[in-house]
Amino acid sequence: MSTRTLISPAQLARPRGKALYWVVFGLVVALFTVVFLGPMYWMVSSGFKDTQEVVQTPPTLVPESFEPDNYAQAWNVMDLASLLGNTLFYAFGALAFQLVFDVAAAYSLSKLRPVLGKAILGLMLATLMIPATVLVVPQYLTVLDVPIFERNLLNTPWAIWLPSVTNAFNIFLLKRFFDSIPRELLDAASMDGASPMRTLCSIVLPISRPILGVVSIFAIVGVWKDFLWPMLTLPDPARQTLNVGIYSLSNGVPVNVLIAALTMASLPTLLIFLVFQRNIMSGLTAGGLKG
């Protein structure tokens, strides 16, 4: 069955059709390039401008006053090294907990098939329809006085790690990938005497590296870009994340230095995406294939 398109193959084969196609294609690519890379270019270039040039109207496309010392000043004045270390500690801690608990939950729902497993999965997915801001108050009250344990988790890494453990979206991604693993492969391991835990560690996890990479990136970026929750639970300046620390120290800092700090804060996540974008797409689409 043929698919109808805006331009037929016969028209596209003509010189005029080819020229029109490439003109439209070039305009669309240029438009999306400006839309997505324009703000990034403005942020990076503004970090090299002086204070007067940053706020002048209309803005300059190319910096007339080139001051690379703004980045060094932002690194020292805003103590980005300490804030970066805190953020990395929280991000990789959340990643470790998510890999342990989310993989266990997804594997049990996919292969062990517990009683009421579908209902549990449905309830997990239902939480994705609840806005994150609605959960801020109950989560804050929970970490303020943890039930049963009666502990205050404010200004501790647990205030960041525990709420990020049960990520319904990551569990769904992992379960979807585990569903694509042939059942015969697990049955063969079971016949050889492998326990469910041994099957998970020796067979399932090694072939699940693409989706584990995707979940890892989502976990790190999720902690890295979060602002409201760390601001509420980490009031101590020595324990704050990168975003909260820059916001707390922004008063009295020149605009160009502040923009330079924001540029350096956004670079790690941008580099992660550029380096692992192929892995992200392959991991997201791998679970859609059976066998």
Side-chain angles (χ1 to χ4, degrees):
M1 181 178 179
S2 60
T3 303
R4 299 189 62 180
T5 58
L6 189 62
I7 302 177
S8 66
Q11 292 176 325
L12 191 60
R14 299 171 185 171
R16 184 176 180 181
K18 287 184 178 180
L20 178 61
Y21 170 81
W22 285 111
V23 168
V24 173
F25 178 77
L27 290 176
V28 171
V29 171
L31 176 62
F32 277 90
T33 301
V34 171
V35 170
F36 288 103
L37 297 184
M40 295 175 53
Y41 171 78
W42 177 87
M43 183 171 62
V44 174
S45 62
S46 296
F48 291 107
K49 300 176 181 178
D50 59 23
T51 307
Q52 290 75 20
E53 188 178 0
V54 169
V55 299
Q56 81 175 40
T57 304
T60 55
L61 184 61
V62 179
E64 297 177 357
S65 54
F66 188 73
E67 297 185 1
D69 291 339
N70 292 337
Y71 286 89
Q73 185 179 354
W75 181 270
N76 296 323
V77 170
M78 310 199 77
D79 195 16
L80 293 186
S82 177
L83 297 176
L84 180 62
N86 292 341
T87 308
L88 290 173
F89 177 63
Y90 297 139
F92 283 96
L95 169 61
F97 280 106
Q98 285 196 31
L99 288 181
V100 173
F101 291 99
D102 290 1
V103 167
Y107 180 70
S108 61
L109 292 172
S110 175
K111 298 304 181 184
L112 302 183
R113 301 185 183 279
V115 180
L116 301 178
K118 292 184 178 180
I120 294 173
L121 178 62
L123 293 174
M124 286 184 180
L125 296 179
T127 61
L128 297 176
M129 296 183 287
I130 303 175
T133 52
V134 175
L135 302 175
V136 169
V137 174
Q139 285 182 347
Y140 181 80
L141 295 177
T142 301
V143 300
L144 188 63
D145 186 11
V146 179
I148 301 176
F149 298 99
E150 298 182 355
R151 293 288 302 275
N152 186 341
L153 300 182
L154 296 183
N155 281 322
T156 66
W158 298 104
I160 303 296
W161 294 340
L162 292 182
S164 65
V165 168
T166 53
N167 190 302
F169 181 70
N170 287 344
I171 292 176
F172 173 72
L173 288 180
L174 290 166
K175 180 186 179 300
R176 186 167 171 263
F177 187 92
F178 293 159
D179 288 341
S180 67
I181 299 177
R183 186 69 195 183
E184 294 78 8
L185 187 63
L186 305 185
D187 292 339
S190 179
M191 292 178 63
D192 289 340
S195 63
M197 180 60 70
R198 179 65 183 273
T199 302
L200 172 64
C201 297
S202 301
I203 297 178
V204 176
L205 292 183
I207 63 179
S208 302
R209 283 178 292 182
I211 194 63
L212 292 178
V214 172
V215 170
S216 301
I217 293 172
F218 285 170
I220 293 175
V221 173
V223 174
W224 200 282
K225 68 181 181 63
D226 199 5
F227 174 76
L228 178 60
W229 183 248
M231 184 179 65
L232 293 175
T233 57
L234 300 172
D236 185 0
R239 300 175 181 270
Q240 289 176 344
T241 60
L242 199 58
N243 293 336
V244 179
I246 291 176
Y247 172 78
S248 302
L249 299 172
S250 60
N251 293 331
V253 176
V255 178
N256 54 344
V257 176
L258 178 60
I259 295 176
L262 294 174
T263 302
M264 290 187 286
S266 62
L267 280 179
T269 52
L270 178 62
L271 292 176
I272 288 175
F273 174 77
L274 292 178
V275 173
F276 298 103
Q277 58 176 328
R278 184 172 298 179
N279 303 77
I280 295 174
M281 297 308 300
S282 63
L284 289 176
T285 58
L289 302 176
K290 287 283 184 180

